[in-house]
Amino acid sequence: MKAITGQKPFEEIAQLLGKCENVYIVGCGTCATMCHTGGKAEVLKMKEQLESTGKKVTGWMVIPTPCDTLTEDALKEDTEAIKAASCLLVMACAFGVQTVALYTDKAVYPALNTLFIGQEEAPGRFYEACLQCGNCVLGLTAGICPLVRCAKGLLNGPCGGSVGGKCEVSPETPCAWQLIIDRLKEQGQLEKLEKITPIRDWSTSLSGGPRRTTVKS
Amino acid sequence: MKAGSNLEKVLESGRFAVTAEAGPPKGTSAAVVQKKAETLRNACDAVNITDNQTAIVRMCSLAGCVIVKQQGVEPVMQMVVRDRNRIAIQSDVLGAIALGIRNILCLTGDHQKFGNHPSARGVYDIDSIQLIQTLKRMRDEKKFINGEDISGEVPLFIGAAENPFADPFEFRVIRLAKKIEAGADFIQTQAVYDVPKFKRWMEMVTERGLDKKTHILAGIIPIRAVGMARYMRDNVPGISLPNELVTRMEQATSGKEEGLKIALETIEQMKEIPGVHGIHIMAVGWEDIVPTLVERVKLLPRPVL
Ligand code: SF4
Ligand code: SF4
């Protein structure tokens, strides 16, 4: 599982930082390093860019996995420099941003957009694999998620725009339902799709409100 | 009779039905819709009013249907699942019935990316097959999706679309069967240009006996100009327009005449295909041509039942 990120335009970052003149930068040694959005190289480039606009970068660090609780200890290692900053700019996925925010009272700003949870299909090429809907249908769809891979999230697809294996939204996007049908056909299970998939319960998704769970020990 | 609509009567009596399509304006003028209704009045059995077609904001289908109905022309309300969740859908259906609308066509809708608000959030709470199911349950059991009772009658003649030219080809018939099982009383197809492919699809349909369980109306879009033919061939997902038709349009002295001729020939062929119960003419922006077209294929006058 990888959180795929993209860097926000620098103007947006500058706007977020606003009057915050002293900035501390946090990078991510895992997903954002792999995406080239928040590794050491990108953090240093950001430092340079901020300095060229007159900001002061009081320090920086690349936390191995800013999304876990060890972040607290990591931040303690550079207390002085963080103290000298009036805000933190986090070059990690939104999960990392929120974790950093748990362990500091200072304003925390994201430098990245978290795009999706990605599956690598070729080196450096990712597609969205799951949106955590809370009610998984992969068992009916040959392991291919129709909610994120079909542009309309259809459960009884394909729509009338599926042509030559491609989705109507773009010639670069495979039609999820063509993939599902091909796969089920190979497995001799196409008849699975003859049954109508009933209306789903979206309350398990974000539509049901913020989600929380307690893992039983 | 499920709804007692004119369209239902024509189809149930075994006659060859004619429906046409009209798009409401990108504005507030009822007169625009009235004019289209007048043009189509005697040329068809019912008029489909599109629902923000190609994801471009227009006057809502429900209002368009009411205006057409006030003119004494029977509407088919198109309804896409792109823009409404189940709460809005069921509420719109109640309102439509209260206002005398009896035919509803269930659609997925073109992706919002194609329209004039590409940054809109797509809804897709339920899909088009589930929409058909919902309408059938509302009509036959007088129940909402959640199982609660609906007060009052729910007369509905339920339609769906199918595209025989989309992929995967063999699956299109399975999907049609699912729509029929869900409750589709009639089907309006994507525009037919590739007649041999359509025939192959209809053979699969009749083999499964599906033509006995629903009424299939073949889609017709008259081509106005060679540019339109090329555009549809190259850019409209799910339309299969053979090159030879483009060549015919290129060589014609009058594009309009040739387009009309192609449409006439196609309709004549549709009349001969077993299992086809009518045609659905989508001459959007060229509604004037519909009466001529219907007259020349000898489908006038339309029955009064
Ligand atoms: S069905 Fe839901 S849980 Fe399963 S892969 Fe798709 S989004 Fe994820
Ligand atoms: S073309 Fe395929 S993937 Fe695209 S919206 Fe239609 S069914 Fe979904």
Side-chain angles (χ1 to χ4, degrees):
Chain A
M1 187 179 103
K2 292 185 181 91
I4 307 304
T5 46
Q7 204 171 97
K8 284 182 180 289
F10 187 74
E11 302 75 66
E12 187 185 337
I13 294 171
Q15 216 169 40
L16 286 173
L17 294 177
K19 292 198 179 72
C20 168
E21 294 305 329
N22 301 315
V23 185
Y24 188 91
I25 308 174
V26 177
C28 158
T30 313
C31 301
T33 291
M34 181 209 66
C35 287
H36 303 296
T37 51
K40 188 177 167 191
E42 294 76 41
V43 166
L44 290 175
K45 192 160 165 245
M46 179 61 71
K47 177 175 180 284
E48 215 172 276
Q49 248 178 317
L50 288 175
E51 284 167 352
S52 75
T53 62
K55 303 269 184 209
K56 182 165 187 266
V57 175
T58 62
W60 59 273
M61 73 164 73
V62 174
I63 301 179
T65 44
C67 55
D68 77 26
T69 45
L70 291 174
T71 298
E72 185 173 16
D73 300 332
L75 292 174
K76 276 185 192 146
E77 280 166 30
D78 210 3
T79 319
E80 284 314 308
I82 294 176
K83 226 188 229 165
S86 38
C87 69
L88 280 74
L89 180 65
V90 182
M91 302 180 73
C93 76
F95 204 36
V97 176
Q98 296 184 51
T99 309
V100 169
L102 283 179
Y103 303 118
T104 174
D105 295 335
K106 310 232 177 227
V108 172
Y109 298 112
L112 310 184
N113 285 319
T114 303
L115 303 176
F116 54 83
I117 293 203
Q119 183 84 261
E120 195 162 18
E121 54 183 343
R125 250 196 14 230
F126 296 87
Y127 65 81
E128 184 170 14
C130 170
L131 58 74
Q132 298 98 43
C133 74
N135 189 1
C136 193
V137 299
L138 287 178
L140 295 172
T141 57
I144 294 159
C145 174
L147 298 185
V148 289
R149 300 198 64 194
C150 164
K152 300 173 185 172
L154 303 178
L155 290 174
N156 288 287
C159 78
S162 172
V163 176
K166 301 295 177 208
C167 172
E168 70 172 31
V169 300
S170 126
E172 277 90 55
T173 308
C175 167
W177 277 98
Q178 176 80 56
L179 298 175
I180 292 168
I181 289 165
D182 289 349
R183 196 90 203 260
L184 285 176
K185 210 155 117 191
E186 254 169 49
Q187 298 170 350
Q189 295 192 29
L190 201 55
E191 82 285 345
K192 267 193 178 171
L193 295 186
E194 302 210 1
K195 262 190 44 208
I196 298 171
T197 303
I199 291 178
R200 59 175 283 133
D201 176 1
W202 287 108
S203 70
T204 58
S205 77
L206 189 57
S207 298
R211 294 177 280 180
R212 251 166 201 269
T213 190
T214 308
V215 179
K216 286 199 193 84
S217 51
Chain B
M1 285 283 135
K2 288 165 172 160
S5 70
N6 184 51
L7 180 61
E8 182 182 11
K9 285 182 196 155
V10 170
L11 285 167
E12 289 298 318
S13 70
R15 290 174 171 86
F16 196 81
V18 179
T19 54
E21 190 162 291
K26 260 171 114 171
T28 57
S29 165
V32 173
V33 184
Q34 284 160 352
K35 189 165 164 272
K36 290 187 184 186
E38 275 322 306
T39 308
L40 299 169
R41 172 187 295 284
N42 297 314
C44 61
D45 306 314
V47 176
N48 281 43
I49 305 296
T50 53
D51 179 9
N52 298 299
Q53 202 177 20
T54 60
I56 289 172
V57 177
R58 291 175 178 279
M59 182 190 291
C60 70
S61 178
L62 178 51
C65 286
V66 171
I67 296 166
V68 164
K69 193 164 187 303
Q70 284 166 349
Q71 298 286 108
V73 175
E74 181 168 290
V76 176
M77 182 168 96
Q78 297 198 174
M79 195 172 219
V80 301
V81 297
R82 177 192 61 224
D83 309 324
R84 303 174 180 82
N85 70 5
R86 65 192 74 178
I87 299 172
I89 284 173
Q90 296 176 101
S91 148
D92 280 358
V93 169
L94 298 182
I97 294 173
L99 291 165
I101 291 156
R102 295 291 175 263
N103 310 308
I104 298 185
L105 185 80
C106 306
L107 302 167
T108 308
D110 300 303
H111 196 272
Q112 60 276 12
K113 190 185 156 179
F114 294 114
N116 60 355
H117 290 74
S119 50
R121 182 165 181 168
V123 178
Y124 308 107
D125 176 19
I126 64 177
D127 67 23
S128 62
I129 292 185
Q130 295 165 342
L131 174 59
I132 301 167
Q133 250 181 346
T134 299
L135 297 195
K136 184 173 158 60
R137 180 145 196 241
M138 288 176 85
R139 179 188 68 201
D140 296 352
E141 299 172 34
K142 296 223 284 169
K143 293 226 186 277
F144 291 110
I145 291 173
N146 66 355
E148 283 177 19
D149 293 332
I150 299 172
S151 64
E153 294 307 310
V154 189
L156 276 179
F157 195 48
I158 306 167
E162 188 46 59
N163 183 1
F165 309 102
D167 289 322
F169 182 64
E170 335 81 72
F171 194 76
R172 299 322 304 191
V173 180
I174 300 180
R175 189 157 149 91
L176 177 71
K178 281 174 89 168
K179 289 190 170 173
I180 295 168
E181 194 200 323
D185 301 311
F186 68 100
I187 302 287
Q188 292 171 324
T189 78
Q190 177 58 282
V192 181
Y193 295 108
D194 187 344
V195 178
K197 190 163 183 184
F198 184 75
K199 276 189 179 153
R200 279 210 309 282
W201 180 75
M202 277 307 299
E203 274 161 26
M204 291 160 77
V205 168
T206 48
E207 255 166 45
R208 282 185 168 232
L210 297 178
D211 58 313
K212 304 273 187 300
K213 297 184 182 160
T214 195
H215 299 288
I216 295 174
L217 281 66
I220 302 288
I221 302 182
I223 309 169
R224 254 180 131 164
V226 63
M228 175 177 168
R230 287 199 198 106
Y231 181 81
M232 292 214 288
R233 180 193 59 191
D234 302 331
N235 298 315
V236 183
I239 283 206
S240 155
L241 198 142
N243 277 327
E244 64 216 57
L245 292 188
V246 179
T247 315
R248 265 181 71 177
M249 291 297 291
E250 279 165 355
Q251 288 166 352
T253 37
S254 158
K256 276 192 177 182
E257 269 308 309
E258 196 62 27
L260 182 62
K261 240 172 91 185
I262 293 170
L264 292 170
E265 290 166 17
T266 313
I267 297 172
E268 290 299 350
Q269 286 172 296
M270 293 303 115
K271 283 160 77 181
E272 300 308 318
I273 298 175
V276 175
H277 293 184
I279 48 167
H280 173 53
I281 308 170
M282 297 165 274
V284 174
W286 196 18
E287 286 88 359
D288 305 359
I289 198 64
V290 177
T292 318
L293 202 55
V294 181
E295 203 215 326
R296 286 181 50 187
V297 289
K298 303 197 174 55
L299 289 170
L300 284 189
R302 299 307 309 150
V304 182
L305 300 172

